[in-house]
Amino acid sequence: MSKMLASIALLLFVPACSVGVVMSLFIAPGKIGNGVFTAVKIWVVVLPLFWTARTNPNAIRLPKLNWTEIKVGLSLGILMFSAIAITYLFVGQQIIDTADLQAKAREVGLVNPYLYIAGCFYWSFVNSLIEECTWRGFVVSQTKVLFPQKIAVILAAIFFTVHHSIALYGYTHNLLVVSIGSLGVLLAGIIWAWCYNFYQSVVPGYISHIFADIAIAIIGWKLLFS
């Protein structure tokens, strides 16, 4: 795989996520922004599948469950869940403006508790798998073509963090919240990329990602509906 192809793959994939977030939260909140956001979510699934099918079709396969990888994922997941919960309890509650967050949620249509629960289920169990397959399986692999492994892991984590940082700012408009949240996403991204490199599997990252997203979903419920 050439460096030129890897560069093109990253340019087509990485900025798209930020475009979707910017459209949905800043430029056109509501139906148009959500439509662009949905289109981007489809794009970041279709592009890696198409690209991999053309360049390395043997890489498209279902992950095999391995007890060691499951234990690693569960252990990391419990640690991440705990870290997110503790950070919210001791820091987040003091610095997050609940009223501002609820206003932004209403603006983008996130007001129905039943839809919120359905969305949390999707983000925790489906989107987390998609992100592990794309951001780790695809982006990390492409980045490793361009850079040494250790640098590739960090760069892939930075790429993963950018659109999350934009989303955090869009919902909170609080630079301290953005800084703390972005650091957490960056560290998680590094851990998940390292797991993918070490085990050549998305299983540890996927399992721990579920725990992290569930923790965020619980906090989101408390902020929006409690």
Side-chain angles (χ1 to χ4, degrees):
M1 188 186 303
S2 71
K3 291 187 175 183
M4 177 67 75
L5 283 175
S7 299
I8 293 171
L10 291 173
L11 286 172
L12 289 173
F13 182 95
V14 175
C17 296
S18 295
V19 170
V21 173
V22 169
M23 285 296 297
S24 65
L25 293 181
F26 298 99
I27 296 178
K31 291 182 178 179
I32 295 176
N34 290 339
V36 173
F37 184 82
T38 300
V40 167
K41 297 302 291 184
I42 295 170
W43 170 253
V44 297
V45 173
V46 172
L47 173 65
L49 282 173
F50 173 79
W51 196 277
T52 305
R54 294 296 300 270
T55 59
N56 186 19
N58 293 329
I60 301 177
R61 62 185 186 276
L62 292 174
K64 295 181 180 180
L65 294 179
N66 176 289
W67 180 237
T68 299
E69 295 171 8
I70 292 173
K71 287 192 294 184
V72 170
L74 289 171
S75 299
L76 288 173
I78 292 170
L79 286 173
M80 289 180 179
F81 185 101
S82 302
I84 292 169
I86 291 170
T87 301
Y88 172 71
L89 289 172
F90 289 97
V91 181
Q93 289 188 120
Q94 285 70 45
I95 64 175
I96 295 175
D97 186 329
T98 305
D100 189 44
L101 183 66
Q102 291 175 346
K104 189 63 182 181
R106 287 194 295 271
E107 184 180 357
V108 299
L110 219 169
V111 293
N112 186 309
Y114 297 105
L115 287 178
Y116 179 85
I117 292 172
C120 288
F121 182 87
Y122 167 80
W123 286 103
S124 298
F125 294 95
V126 179
N127 188 71
S128 58
L129 177 59
I130 291 172
E131 287 194 334
E132 289 310 308
C133 290
T134 55
W135 283 98
R136 260 55 74 179
F138 183 68
V139 172
V140 171
S141 297
Q142 301 298 328
T143 310
K144 283 166 61 179
V145 175
L146 301 171
F147 302 96
Q149 181 170 294
K150 290 181 180 179
I151 296 176
V153 164
I154 295 172
L155 280 177
I158 292 172
F159 295 155
F160 180 66
T161 303
V162 172
H163 68 283
H164 287 88
S165 299
I166 296 171
L168 279 169
Y169 182 76
Y171 278 107
T172 67
H173 297 95
N174 185 315
L175 293 179
L176 181 56
V177 173
V178 173
S179 299
I180 295 172
S182 297
L183 178 60
V185 174
L186 177 64
L187 292 174
I190 291 173
I191 290 169
W192 292 330
W194 180 87
C195 283
Y196 177 77
N197 269 334
F198 187 82
Y199 294 102
Q200 290 299 296
S201 169
V202 299
V203 171
Y206 174 51
I207 293 174
S208 54
H209 204 147
I210 290 172
F211 279 81
D213 282 353
I214 289 175
I216 294 168
I218 293 171
I219 292 170
W221 176 272
K222 177 175 173 57
L223 291 170
L224 295 176
F225 303 110
S226 296

